[in-house]
Amino acid sequence: MYGITRRGFGASAALLHGQWTYSADRLGDDVLAVLDALKLNRPVLGGHSIAGEEPSSVGSRRPERVAGLIYLEAGYSYAYYDRARVIWGSI
């Protein structure tokens, strides 16, 4: 099991002055970069609360890269999928 520090938190890159958030797709790209660096093949991704954005983004845009998604108290815009990007039956 791996835990990824979300961009803008901990020792990771910080937001520039005046910015409020990173896009879900930018955060999802960070997760994909970690998967590539660790050579992980189809892991189950999980996200708690606001971190539900990352698995949603990866699962919507790159369903072939994950075996499943787990949401822990993630709702509203933090646990979304883009119906236009989902290929049914591929997850």
Side-chain angles (χ1 to χ4, degrees), residues 2 4 10 12 19 23 26-27 31-32 36 42-43 45-46 49 52 56-57 62-64 67 75-76 81 83 85 90:
Y2 294 94
I4 302 169
S12 66
Q19 289 182 316
S23 73
R26 178 64 184 113
L27 296 169
V31 172
L32 289 169
D36 291 342
R42 293 184 45 91
L45 299 180
S49 188
S56 294
S57 173
R62 301 293 305 275
E64 75 282 0
Y76 308 104
Y81 71 98
R83 183 179 288 256
R85 292 183 179 175
S90 65

Side-chain angles (χ1 to χ4, degrees), residues 3-4 10-11 27 29 31 34 47 56 60 67 70-71 73-74 79 85 91:
I4 302 169
L27 296 169
D29 289 343
V31 172
V34 171
S56 294
S60 294
I70 298 173
Y71 296 96
E73 298 179 351
R85 292 183 179 175
I91 297 178

